[in-house]
Amino acid sequence: MNKLAVTIGNLTLKNPILTASGTFGYGNEYAPYFDVSALGGLISKTITLNPRAGNAFPRIAETPSGMLNSIGLANVGIDAFISEKMPYLRSLDTVNIVNVAGFTIDEYTEVVQRLEDVDGIDGYEVNISCPNVKEGGVAFGSNPNITAKITANLRTITTRCLIMKLTPNVTRISDIARAAADAGADSVSLINTLVGMAIDVRTRRPKLATITGGLSGPAIKPVAIARVYEVAQAISLPIIGIGGIMNADDVLEFMMAGATAVQVGTANFIDPDVCMTIINDLHSYCEREAIQSVGAVIGSMIM
Amino acid sequence: MKKTIPTDSSIHTGEVLFNKEVAPGICRMRIFHDEIARTSLPGQFINIRVSNNMEPFWRRPFSIHATHADEHWFDILYRVIGIGTQKLAFVKSGEIINFVGPLGNHFIADPAITKTSLLVGGGLGIAPMVILAHYLIQRNIHPIVFYGVRSQSELCSLPDLQALTSDIYIATEDGSVGQTGYITESVDAFLRQQTQYNELNIYACGPNPMLDRLGQIAELYHVPCQVSLETLMGCGIGACLGCGMKTRNSEKPYVYVCKEGPVFQAGEIDFSE
Ligand SMILES: Cc1cc2nc3c(=O)[nH]c(=O)nc-3n(C[C@H](O)[C@H](O)[C@H](O)COP(=O)(O)O)c2cc1C
Ligand code: FES
């Protein structure tokens, strides 16, 4: 039996390691560094109906133990995704989750509808939490009614695994998670980036052209752990933890707080093979601790 | 521009053979690594994990400065300016460095067309010109180096260049050596004196205003000009989409320097921002 296998909705992941959207390109960027098929699953860059060039530059800034980004959902658009990116993703022996976004409620439905006819897709992660776009994004994900509406709309058109990706930039994330759960989501993933800002004190200019952006990396891990713990108390769906994971201990921490699986994001930029290292280390952990299934770690924090 | 497929990049470790100050605030590091020494191409870069803790958080990209296949080493040249390069400057010979590479595309040379190339380096932009001059000579293309700095003390790697070509023009902003002023004006003056342009081309690396001006000069004389760009890089492997430069093509408003570059035709890039 595979000790690392976990279940999210109708999906069995061979291990709990997924890649976070926007940090892993469309997968092939990482092919030189490790066998991408070893992942529990791959979540590609957010796809929108039309191609997007993204925000002005500079759109990234280095911060203590992390970074800010305001990429603005730059992506190839759904047509090019299907024709140019899907063949590679389909060829992989791992769960393929496509991250989608829209700028209106209906656009989410439209994007998923288009993808329903495409084979080789195992699930959708719905980005209602991007802090770097003017319409949609965080505005949807911070409203429980809109979250419920988008979730319910998508539930009626797909039986594929439906994961709602939540923003931490809200007063109470568990309210949003509950709205998604009640409307038929299979899972929630959290957290997307935290709104942040940095100024170059020599030039007095903001370090990002958009002034504010999204903070990611180890700097946000304690916030993410707290949010995962909060949501785990509120809903019974499997939770996918995201935020600042750099190594296997970080993964275990998220799982102990209540996550069933995790996503590795910014760490991929620092060590392009970090996911492989983490998966190997999780195997060693289970051996060492004589754990039959890594699932035993989920919610196992001792109080 | 024509895209070539660079050597597959991987994560490597290599021993530092030396790491020393070669001009005030400028260091040269030699790393023992057979594969990079043999396979990297001029214009390509490596992305160094400067610190094992979080400071600095990102890797730092450096152009490959020189290689020696038989002695299995390659060099980088860097100015100590921020936390990353400050930490790098403390690395001692014998220590092991972790880096990703070789990354990016490279300068392209076509000996069937080009007989003479102008290699224009501004400041640390001289870094890729040593490996490039070497590469051109192997292909029977004559390199002429144009090297611009603020002041004489900043000149680095002159012996390396002199070993490869006797045609070296220097310009300093303060007039301490060579022509006084910007190196771009030396290039302009050189081109003005030529009678034949079709066997010439330009390779350049340096500050954006220099590359911008050089692109204009190249256009004036109808000489092809490849420029190597420098930007902030979050990943170096085409994943973060943070390293863009504006283009003159509204269909494709940005290029990503780490993956689609760092080398572009000067005419592709919009330097106005
Ligand atoms: C450069 C960058 C681009 C991102 N793009 C997206 C995106 O397109 N869609 C999305 O849902 N999340 C995006 N994210 C957020 C990540 O998926 C993740 O939620 C966040 O970075 C926190 O995880 P980390 O600390 O492990 O990076 C992006 C993050 C970064 C750093
Ligand atoms: S540095 Fe990340 S895409 Fe170029």
Side-chain angles (χ1 to χ4, degrees):
Chain A
M1 199 196 96
N2 177 1
K3 292 178 179 172
L4 292 189
V6 294
T7 307
I8 302 282
N10 58 4
L11 295 178
T12 300
L13 311 181
K14 60 186 156 205
N15 61 63
I17 308 304
L18 300 152
T19 55
S21 179
T23 66
F24 209 72
Y26 301 100
N28 54 336
E29 287 84 350
Y30 286 85
Y33 304 104
F34 72 102
D35 175 13
V36 175
S37 289
L39 290 167
L42 192 153
I43 305 182
S44 42
K45 176 73 186 166
T46 293
I47 291 298
T48 53
L49 210 47
N50 298 309
R52 288 174 57 84
N55 290 328
F57 290 86
R59 22 164 116 144
I60 54 172
E62 192 176 42
T63 58
S65 296
M67 64 179 282
L68 291 166
N69 89 81
S70 61
I71 307 302
L73 300 186
N75 78 91
V76 296
I78 194 155
D79 290 328
F81 174 75
I82 293 169
S83 63
E84 293 165 25
K85 307 298 180 184
M86 269 307 295
Y88 174 76
L89 292 169
R90 198 179 285 124
S91 77
L92 298 172
D93 179 24
T94 187
V95 165
N96 176 27
I97 295 169
V98 179
N99 183 298
V100 296
F103 297 93
T104 62
I105 294 174
D106 291 341
E107 220 174 282
Y108 282 91
T109 310
E110 227 173 310
V111 174
V112 170
Q113 194 75 68
R114 287 287 310 280
L115 292 168
E116 276 294 285
D117 302 331
V118 178
D119 57 36
I121 296 174
D122 300 299
Y124 305 108
E125 182 180 56
V126 184
N127 183 358
I128 48 168
S129 44
C130 181
N132 297 319
V133 290
K134 288 199 194 76
E135 299 121 46
V138 147
F140 290 162
S142 51
N143 181 323
N145 296 327
I146 298 178
T147 299
K149 179 91 177 108
I150 294 174
T151 310
N153 287 353
L154 298 181
R155 186 74 290 167
T156 61
I157 60 166
T158 187
T159 55
R160 284 173 175 166
C161 186
L162 186 61
I163 304 161
M164 302 306 285
K165 183 167 179 180
L166 309 185
T167 174
N169 303 303
V170 293
T171 313
R172 206 147 33 137
I173 199 169
S174 45
D175 291 348
I176 313 289
R178 219 177 273 115
D182 293 346
D186 293 306
S187 169
V188 291
S189 56
L190 60 143
I191 57 177
N192 206 320
T193 53
L194 286 151
V195 171
M197 176 172 162
I199 302 168
D200 183 330
V201 292
R202 284 170 303 111
T203 62
R204 299 196 183 202
R205 288 177 192 280
K207 288 192 177 176
L208 297 176
T210 49
I211 304 179
T212 62
L215 183 64
S216 66
I220 70 169
K221 193 184 73 172
V223 177
I225 298 280
R227 299 301 203 172
V228 165
Y229 178 69
E230 176 191 338
V231 171
Q233 309 309 303
I235 63 171
S236 55
L237 293 181
I239 296 164
I240 303 174
I242 323 167
I245 292 171
M246 298 294 285
N247 54 47
D249 276 359
D250 295 337
V251 174
L252 294 168
E253 194 178 350
F254 271 95
M255 294 184 80
M256 288 172 191
T260 296
V262 297
Q263 297 175 18
V264 178
T266 306
N268 294 301
F269 301 160
I270 311 305
D271 277 315
D273 67 349
V274 68
C275 287
M276 198 65 246
T277 308
I278 291 176
I279 292 163
N280 291 336
D281 289 350
L282 285 177
H283 273 292
S284 310
Y285 172 82
C286 288
E287 292 296 321
R288 204 170 54 238
E289 302 286 316
I291 289 174
Q292 288 314 305
S293 162
V294 76
V297 179
I298 301 167
S300 68
M301 180 176 74
I302 299 169
M303 295 208 267
Chain B
M1 75 185 285
K2 187 168 149 261
K3 296 286 186 284
T4 55
I5 298 159
T7 325
D8 258 358
S9 158
S10 346
I11 306 171
H12 301 285
T13 51
E15 184 186 337
V16 174
L17 298 179
F18 66 69
N19 183 29
K20 62 185 181 201
E21 196 169 37
V22 291
I26 301 174
C27 297
R28 181 168 177 161
M29 178 184 276
R30 178 158 296 173
I31 300 167
F32 188 84
H33 200 279
D34 181 58
E35 190 185 325
I36 302 289
R38 277 187 299 104
T39 65
S40 56
L41 293 163
Q44 289 194 294
F45 65 95
I46 59 161
N47 211 3
I48 296 185
R49 181 87 193 260
V50 172
S51 159
N52 287 325
N53 60 34
M54 303 287 172
E55 210 180 348
F57 185 59
W58 288 336
R59 288 173 181 266
R60 291 290 186 270
F62 299 95
S63 273
I64 293 167
H65 177 47
T67 56
H68 199 303
D70 296 339
E71 295 179 5
H72 322 289
W73 53 254
F74 69 95
D75 291 356
I76 59 167
L77 193 68
Y78 60 97
R79 190 191 299 277
V80 182
I81 36 172
I83 171 78
T85 45
Q86 275 160 18
K87 286 211 171 166
L88 197 64
F90 278 112
V91 173
K92 304 260 177 312
S93 26
E95 287 184 43
I96 304 296
I97 283 277
N98 172 303
F99 61 94
V100 178
L103 291 165
N105 69 352
H106 54 89
F107 289 114
I108 291 168
D110 186 352
I113 301 171
T114 310
K115 301 291 171 239
T116 302
S117 293
L118 280 48
L119 282 60
V120 189
L124 265 286
I126 202 67
M129 298 307 165
V130 171
I131 178 175
L132 176 59
H134 188 73
Y135 179 85
L136 295 175
I137 289 165
Q138 286 176 336
R139 282 155 185 77
N140 292 314
I141 298 172
H142 176 62
I144 304 180
V145 173
F146 290 82
Y147 188 3
V149 288
R150 275 186 299 246
S151 184
Q152 181 170 17
S153 65
E154 287 174 34
L155 289 170
C156 321
S157 303
L158 265 188
D160 298 72
L161 293 166
Q162 284 157 344
L164 293 165
T165 177
S166 50
D167 286 330
I168 302 178
Y169 294 82
I170 289 170
T172 52
E173 289 173 35
D174 67 0
S176 48
V177 64
Q179 285 289 317
T180 304
Y182 290 130
I183 195 66
T184 45
E185 303 322 301
S186 310
V187 175
D188 187 25
F190 175 89
L191 287 172
R192 207 176 306 134
Q193 285 164 16
Q194 306 302 305
T195 50
Q196 270 266 35
Y197 295 94
N198 50 3
E199 295 183 339
L200 289 177
N201 77 345
I202 300 175
Y203 300 103
C205 182
N208 285 346
M210 177 193 110
L211 300 180
D212 190 13
R213 172 86 183 106
L214 208 56
Q216 293 162 9
I217 294 169
E219 215 172 286
L220 204 65
Y221 296 97
H222 304 289
V223 174
C225 179
Q226 298 172 35
V227 297
S228 174
L229 305 182
E230 250 188 60
T231 58
L232 268 184
M233 287 191 188
C235 70
I237 59 173
C240 76
L241 308 184
C243 61
M245 265 299 279
K246 206 144 186 275
T247 71
R248 298 189 189 177
N249 175 1
S250 57
E251 306 258 291
K252 188 180 185 333
Y254 300 119
V255 283
Y256 292 101
V257 173
C258 74
K259 188 90 173 186
E260 298 172 284
V263 178
F264 298 92
Q265 297 291 350
E268 287 179 83
I269 306 298
D270 177 356
F271 288 104
S272 64
E273 286 200 347

